[in-house]
Amino acid sequence: MNWISSNKARSRLGVGKPLFNALTKSGLLGYTLGDMYSDQAILDYQQFGTQWSIDERRGTSTRIMTDDVYDNMPPVENVGPQPPATQTHAIITPPNAVAGDTRASDRGWIAHFYLLTNYFYFPNLTELALVGAPPLKLSKPKPVPGAELPVTLYPHPSGYLGLVVVEGLSRPLEGSHKEAYDVAMPLLDELSARYDVPLPVAHSMEVGVPSGTIHLSFAHRPRAKEIESEAEILPRCPHPELRDAYALYREAVSSNNPFHAFLAFWKVYEEAVYVRKGWGAKHKRKDVRVREEVFPDLFAFGARPEELAKPPEDPKEIREMLERQLRGKKFEQAKELLRGPYRAALAHAGKVDAGKPLTGASYEDYLKVADKVTVVRYMANVVLENVRATFDAEAEEDGGKSQEQQTSTQG
């Protein structure tokens, strides 16, 4: 391993000082020794657009967020413990940042969309990705002409496609994730359909230029839970009528794709309500409600006060504001509000009530649906718990009657 000076490294890369500063501080040029750079790390950046494996002699090769980092993140005000906030924005400041060299000074950015987990860039370990690289080979970096911003495909060291890099070197950091998404996703859509291969994004980040500050956006992960040693573990849901709903719930809560998660949680809600109606028709009595099926007064379920005080003039914006205003509404009311513009627009293509289907082709659609996953998840969770409580109460009652009959027979 050879070491070269910063001047030689910058000359080899052919980049200006602000970009070189960002590449250095974010670790995209590997670890440094004072003003010296590893020539292998420089070569790796040129070939792969990132650092996939760091030599242990130069520093750790794995940088991940542990449970305590997530658990110590400040809570989103007024959201409450259930459901979690839809999105989390984490900022990682370079340890060697100097005075005046902060994200406030950034005048540009570089966005990375990793197609398999890069453990050097703080992946969210609850996100889902392929076990290995996607089955699409790429031998060398490939710039893509015609995109709205400069975008390049980079290979993984395995020889498969590993990274999409979007450059906004003269664009403000605010809105960078949206701009980068709207460039990278249509490109991945094109490649996926053209070559008929899966191309899930494992995780993404933006690097501020020149500060090197790393910005991460990901679905908020729940706090780690613990199975207590004395906890009773059942081999399956004891009520056969609910097993389909439970299977759908695991599928929904295990997905980090908001389009899939929305529809799966919707199906959980529909299945649980259907089972409950069947139980009511059979037993002719009221079901058990351990939780109220009304949206509480939380930020996640309503428009902001300032929006209500000064509603927008555009009809589309008014409709979207009303869709967000669910506080105090019953679940069935919310279901009817969301049926056309969300459920139908996700489940169908062509002409839909919302005017167009909702897809991952734009960040606007992505964020719109991700925002409503919180809503349908809450509906599914509450109704499923209530229906389970109804069946549990019935089983307990039947067990008591059976015990009384047995005692009477013995007497």
Side-chain angles (χ1 to χ4, degrees):
M1 177 175 59
N2 298 317
W3 295 87
I4 59 177
S5 69
S6 60
N7 287 336
K8 190 171 182 179
R10 180 180 161 194
S11 175
R12 184 180 294 182
L13 292 170
V15 298
K17 187 175 181 180
L19 179 55
F20 185 75
N21 188 66
L23 297 178
T24 298
K25 293 185 179 299
S26 65
L28 284 170
L29 300 182
Y31 288 107
T32 60
L33 290 178
D35 198 37
M36 303 299 287
Y37 292 71
S38 161
D39 61 348
Q40 184 59 53
I42 298 296
L43 288 171
D44 285 347
Y45 175 76
Q46 290 177 310
Q47 175 67 9
F48 307 123
T50 188
Q51 298 295 321
W52 287 101
S53 59
I54 300 294
D55 192 312
E56 291 292 348
R57 291 171 295 175
R58 291 178 281 136
T60 178
S61 60
T62 301
R63 300 189 298 180
I64 60 175
M65 292 192 192
T66 55
D67 285 341
D68 62 306
V69 175
Y70 289 102
D71 291 345
N72 290 328
M73 283 184 176
V76 179
E77 188 177 357
N78 294 328
V79 170
Q82 173 63 34
T86 303
Q87 292 285 319
T88 294
H89 179 203
I91 300 173
I92 300 175
T93 303
N96 54 347
V98 297
D101 186 23
T102 65
R103 59 193 178 99
S105 67
D106 286 333
R107 297 295 179 267
W109 47 267
I110 307 168
H112 283 196
F113 294 87
Y114 291 99
L115 301 182
L116 64 163
T117 304
N118 185 336
Y119 290 98
F120 190 61
Y121 281 109
F122 313 98
N124 177 3
L125 297 184
T126 61
E127 297 279 359
L128 303 180
L130 293 175
V131 173
L136 186 59
K137 293 184 177 181
L138 182 68
S139 60
K140 60 182 181 180
K142 189 170 183 63
V144 179
E148 294 183 10
L149 291 172
V151 57
T152 305
L153 301 176
Y154 283 94
H156 181 263
S158 63
Y160 291 89
L161 177 62
L163 172 65
V164 179
V165 175
V166 182
E167 296 180 5
L169 298 182
S170 59
R171 306 183 74 84
L173 191 61
E174 184 179 1
S176 59
H177 189 66
K178 177 185 183 302
E179 284 193 277
Y181 180 103
D182 286 343
V183 170
M185 291 308 120
L187 169 58
L188 290 175
D189 295 342
E190 159 70 10
L191 292 173
S192 180
R194 179 178 175 182
Y195 292 98
D196 191 22
V197 294
L199 294 175
V201 173
H203 58 109
S204 62
M205 70 176 187
E206 295 85 49
V207 174
V209 178
S211 75
T213 300
I214 296 173
H215 297 259
L216 305 170
S217 297
F218 45 80
H220 183 88
R221 57 171 269 181
R223 290 181 180 273
K225 308 291 176 56
E226 182 179 358
I227 300 177
E228 302 291 347
S229 58
E230 65 276 9
E232 179 187 10
I233 303 298
L234 303 177
R236 65 190 66 83
C237 174
H239 311 298
E241 301 91 338
L242 286 176
R243 289 180 190 170
D244 286 336
Y246 271 59
L248 288 166
Y249 194 87
R250 182 175 70 88
E251 182 181 341
V253 83
S254 299
S255 175
N256 63 324
N257 181 316
F259 305 97
H260 171 252
F262 182 99
L263 289 174
F265 279 125
W266 187 282
K267 290 167 68 176
V268 173
Y269 178 80
E270 285 189 326
E271 177 66 15
V273 170
Y274 172 79
V275 167
R276 180 165 62 189
K277 285 181 178 178
W279 181 91
K282 177 181 177 181
H283 294 277
K284 309 296 183 185
R285 57 194 175 101
K286 193 175 181 180
D287 55 276
V288 176
R289 303 283 175 103
V290 293
R291 295 170 68 185
E292 191 176 12
E293 295 181 13
V294 174
F295 287 99
D297 187 20
L298 295 177
F299 171 82
F301 305 129
R304 295 183 292 272
E306 57 268 25
E307 290 181 301
L308 297 176
K310 189 178 180 181
E313 296 180 0
D314 184 84
K316 178 183 176 183
E317 293 180 3
I318 292 174
R319 184 177 67 251
E320 291 178 349
M321 185 187 75
L322 292 175
E323 289 170 2
R324 293 197 303 274
Q325 184 51 37
L326 299 175
R327 304 184 198 199
K329 284 187 169 61
K330 295 181 179 180
F331 286 178
E332 282 299 304
Q333 291 176 295
K335 181 183 175 184
E336 292 309 309
L337 281 173
L338 301 178
R339 182 188 298 279
Y342 287 90
R343 191 268 179 190
L346 282 168
H348 304 291
K351 185 178 180 180
V352 294
D353 292 344
K356 66 173 287 295
L358 293 173
T359 73
S362 73
Y363 188 68
E364 181 181 5
D365 280 5
Y366 177 92
L367 204 59
K368 184 177 178 180
V369 176
D371 181 61
K372 287 298 179 289
V373 171
T374 298
V375 172
V376 289
R377 178 176 178 170
Y378 186 79
M379 292 168 60
N381 185 276
V382 170
V383 171
L384 195 58
E385 185 174 342
N386 284 342
V387 179
R388 171 71 177 258
T390 299
F391 280 97
D392 285 346
E394 180 191 6
E396 185 177 345
E397 183 179 322
D398 290 345
K401 288 180 180 179
S402 177
Q403 183 66 33
E404 288 177 7
Q405 291 173 354
Q406 185 177 9
T407 302
S408 176
T409 301
Q410 290 174 348

